[in-house]
């Protein structure tokens, strides 16, 4: 059986406990005593010696197993040292090639010995079809990598190395470990819902499971939907949903006549759900940018669906109408409270007008300022100017758009 240490080490009552990763103040640095300063300098000197040793081995082209232990000590102290992760992979590949050659030679010598052949077969079965040393190395490396990620969830090099480990498992082991990884990642994202490193790695895990027939895009969409409904500000969940939907839309071009109806229905269902979530997010928190920024992706997917399925060509116009109705209502209601509150509804209206989805001359935006005075936005130029006023940090961009726009 495969025994792998995952993130559950710091568990409380069976669930993962992770410190908050966002909106946290950095602690102030305390003055060190003379004794502490001496200890720190000694530690730095030891690290420099270790660093020099590891890089000397790498520069000499060594792929000996002796490289692994000092590398592990170095990476434990500095997991962002991507060059050492790369050298570590080269060492393992060289060692496994040596093992493969040795096993092939032993198999040739034992070809006539039925008992030895049977023993070798049993050994390979116990390791999921992998050579014994390679199996032991991968399991140890997975445990080491887990310890690194537990300490630093934001280490790019460690997440990349983890993919490499799973890529070198046998198909039988890979399916088992990938399934366990997905479960633990969902647990991690319950504790730290916007950890984009975990989201990115999970996206890779899920695509591998889909390729093995063990997961579906629909399940992935449902997971992202659940995270969005828990928190409309979860940008990573919105992004994940956009990526999965984009993959579904692109699959229409390669679908057979038999597959096409089901795939079109799946895309249509995903986009209908997107519209529902976006409009709900608009009204729940108009000042949160995540749902507003998702609109361009939604419109691109609707255009692709209309191009692939004639019966849905009118859907994009219908959705734009719903989004505009919500944006107009929010802009006209919020302007009376504060100019800043109108930013995102106004941004969507002006952006859609610039793309030709609405004519502000035919459907002007009527706003009331805090002193109850009325303001009419009846052209693109008016819209860009107002955006410059309500978003002064970007006024240069908006005023330039106003200058270039037709009156």
């Amino acid at each position: 059986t495969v025994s792998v240490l995952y993130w559950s080490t710091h568990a409380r009552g069976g669930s993962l406990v992770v410190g908050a990763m966002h909106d946290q103040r950095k602690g102030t640095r305390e003055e060190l005593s003379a004794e502490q300063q001496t200890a720190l300098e000694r530690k730095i000197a030891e690290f420099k010696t270790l660093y020099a040793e590891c890089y000397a081995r790498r520069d000499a082209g060594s792929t000996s197993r002796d490289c692994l232990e000092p590398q592990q000590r170095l990476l434990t102290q500095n997991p962002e040292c991507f060059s050492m992760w790369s050298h570590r992979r080269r060492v393992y590949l060289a060692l496994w090639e040596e093992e493969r050659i040795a096993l092939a030679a032993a198999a040739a010598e034992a070809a006539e010995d039925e008992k030895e052949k049977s023993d070798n077969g049993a050994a390979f079965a116990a390791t999921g079809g992998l050579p014994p040393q390679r199996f032991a190395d991968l399991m140890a490396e997975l445990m080491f990598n887990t310890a690194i990620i537990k300490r630093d969830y934001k280490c790019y090099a460690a997440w990349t190395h983890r993919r490499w480990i799973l890529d070198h498992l046998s198909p039988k082991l890979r399916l088992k470990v990938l399934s366990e990884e997905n479960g633990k990642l969902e647990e991690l994202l319950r504790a730290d819902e916007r950890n984009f490193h975990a989201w990115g790695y999970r996206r890779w895990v899920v695509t591998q499971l889909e390729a093995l027939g063990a997961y579906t895009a629909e399940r992935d969409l449902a997971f992202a939907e659940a995270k969005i409904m828990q928190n409309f500000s979860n940008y990573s969940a919105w992004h994940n949903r956009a990526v999965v939907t984009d993959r579904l839309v692109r699959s229409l071009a390669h679908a057979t006549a038999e597959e096409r109806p089901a795939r079109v229905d799946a895309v249509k269902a995903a986009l209908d759900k997107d519209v529902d979530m976006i409009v709900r997010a608009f009204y729940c928190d108009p000042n949160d940018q995540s749902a507003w920024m998702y609109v361009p992706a939604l419109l691109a997917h609707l255009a692709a669906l209309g191009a692939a399925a004639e019966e849905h060509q009118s859907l994009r116009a219908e959705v734009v109408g719903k989004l505009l109705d919500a944006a107009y209502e929010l802009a006209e209601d919020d302007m009376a409270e504060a100019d800043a509150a109108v930013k995102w509804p106004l941004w969507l209206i002006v952006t859609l007008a610039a793309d030709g989805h609405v004519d502000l001359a035919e459907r002007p935006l009527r706003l009331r300022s805090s002193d109850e005075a009325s303001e009419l936005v009846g052209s693109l130029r008016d819209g860009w100017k107002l955006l410059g006023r309500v978003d002064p940090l970007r006024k240069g961009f908006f005023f330039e758009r106003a200058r270039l726009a037709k009156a």
Side-chain angles (χ1 to χ4, degrees):
T1 59
V2 180
S3 177
V4 180
L5 176 66
Y6 289 103
W7 296 285
S8 55
T9 301
H10 297 303
R12 182 187 300 142
S15 61
L16 188 69
V17 178
V18 180
M21 305 291 283
H22 298 278
D23 305 320
Q24 299 296 306
R25 285 182 178 273
K26 290 186 177 181
T28 56
R29 182 175 296 179
E30 297 180 0
E31 287 291 328
L32 298 179
S33 66
E35 185 177 330
Q36 288 174 324
Q37 184 65 34
T38 300
L40 178 60
E41 290 172 358
R42 183 171 59 251
K43 187 175 181 181
I44 291 172
E46 291 171 354
F47 176 80
K48 286 182 176 180
T49 301
L50 177 61
Y51 186 91
E53 176 191 348
C54 289
Y55 273 85
R57 290 176 183 269
R58 187 204 66 169
D59 294 343
S62 175
T63 55
S64 160
R65 189 168 289 276
D66 293 338
C67 295
L68 297 174
E69 190 277 331
Q71 281 178 352
Q72 184 162 333
R73 286 190 284 121
L74 177 64
L75 290 168
T76 299
Q77 296 180 63
N78 179 19
E80 291 289 359
C81 190
F82 61 87
S83 296
M84 270 307 104
W85 288 111
S86 297
H87 185 226
R88 194 171 180 83
R89 291 191 283 271
R90 288 198 297 273
V91 170
Y92 275 126
L93 291 175
L95 292 172
W96 297 339
E97 178 61 13
E98 291 175 6
E99 181 187 26
R100 185 194 66 78
I101 293 171
L103 287 172
E109 292 177 6
E112 304 300 324
D113 189 332
E114 292 298 324
K115 181 180 185 305
E116 188 165 346
K117 285 170 63 179
S118 175
D119 290 345
N120 288 341
F124 273 76
T127 59
L130 287 175
Q133 187 59 58
R134 178 172 169 179
F135 172 79
D137 286 339
L138 285 167
M139 293 301 99
E141 195 67 6
L142 196 54
M143 293 176 68
F144 169 56
N145 181 263
T146 298
I148 295 294
I149 289 176
K150 256 187 332 192
R151 285 177 43 225
D152 185 359
Y153 286 97
K154 297 187 176 183
C155 179
Y156 286 93
W159 288 110
T160 299
H161 190 68
R162 197 171 187 87
R163 294 189 190 190
W164 180 86
I165 296 170
L166 268 62
D167 273 338
H168 286 80
L169 296 174
S170 66
K172 180 180 178 181
L173 288 175
R174 201 161 184 266
L175 177 58
K176 174 180 173 57
V177 175
L178 282 167
S179 298
E180 292 175 345
E181 290 279 277
N182 187 43
K184 292 298 179 181
L185 284 162
E186 291 184 2
E187 182 181 347
L188 170 59
L189 289 171
R190 281 195 292 273
D192 183 19
E193 63 185 12
R194 291 196 297 176
N195 185 326
F196 72 88
H197 298 271
W199 275 102
Y201 178 63
R202 181 186 174 278
R203 201 153 36 245
W204 177 82
V205 166
V206 165
T207 57
Q208 304 306 301
L209 287 171
E210 285 184 26
L212 295 170
Y215 208 79
T216 64
E218 288 74 16
R219 284 179 63 187
D220 203 7
L221 287 170
F223 178 76
E225 177 189 341
K227 304 309 291 182
I228 290 168
M229 296 308 292
Q230 289 170 11
N231 179 6
F232 287 128
S233 292
N234 192 332
Y235 313 122
S236 294
W238 285 105
H239 174 70
N240 193 77
R241 191 168 174 89
V243 170
V244 178
T245 304
D246 186 67
R247 197 165 69 244
L248 273 178
V249 170
R250 290 175 184 274
S251 74
L252 295 177
H254 310 291
T256 64
E258 293 76 17
E259 296 171 335
R260 189 177 185 77
R263 291 199 184 182
V264 168
D265 288 345
V267 173
K268 172 68 163 51
L271 296 179
D272 285 343
K273 180 59 69 173
D274 280 350
V275 175
D276 176 66
M277 289 194 297
I278 286 172
V279 173
R280 194 178 304 187
F282 283 178
Y283 284 105
C284 286
D285 188 359
N287 294 321
D288 186 274
Q289 67 181 2
S290 52
W292 301 98
M293 297 299 287
Y294 188 79
V295 170
L298 171 64
L299 296 182
H301 294 151
L302 287 164
L305 176 61
E310 293 183 1
E311 66 271 25
H312 295 306
Q313 285 182 351
S314 63
L315 183 61
R316 190 166 185 246
E318 295 173 16
V319 169
V320 167
K322 290 181 182 178
L323 298 177
L324 282 170
D325 288 345
Y328 269 85
E329 181 178 356
L330 287 165
E332 292 172 347
D333 285 350
D334 288 344
M335 192 63 180
E337 299 175 13
D339 283 1
V342 81
K343 173 188 169 179
W344 287 109
L346 178 61
W347 173 84
L348 182 61
I349 293 167
V350 175
T351 301
L352 291 176
D355 289 341
H357 293 293
V358 63
D359 186 341
L360 288 172
E362 295 180 3
R363 189 179 180 181
L365 182 62
R366 292 179 173 80
L367 304 171
R368 291 178 298 111
S369 60
S370 55
D371 59 2
E372 297 297 321
S374 295
E375 183 167 357
L376 186 69
V377 179
S379 69
L380 265 178
R381 183 172 294 172
D382 293 341
W384 291 123
K385 284 182 177 179
L386 182 56
L387 273 170
R389 194 182 83 204
V390 301
D391 187 6
L393 289 177
R394 297 164 187 82
K395 66 181 180 181
F397 170 75
F398 292 129
F399 287 165
E400 178 64 11
R401 293 297 302 266
R403 186 184 69 80
L404 296 174
K406 294 179 180 179

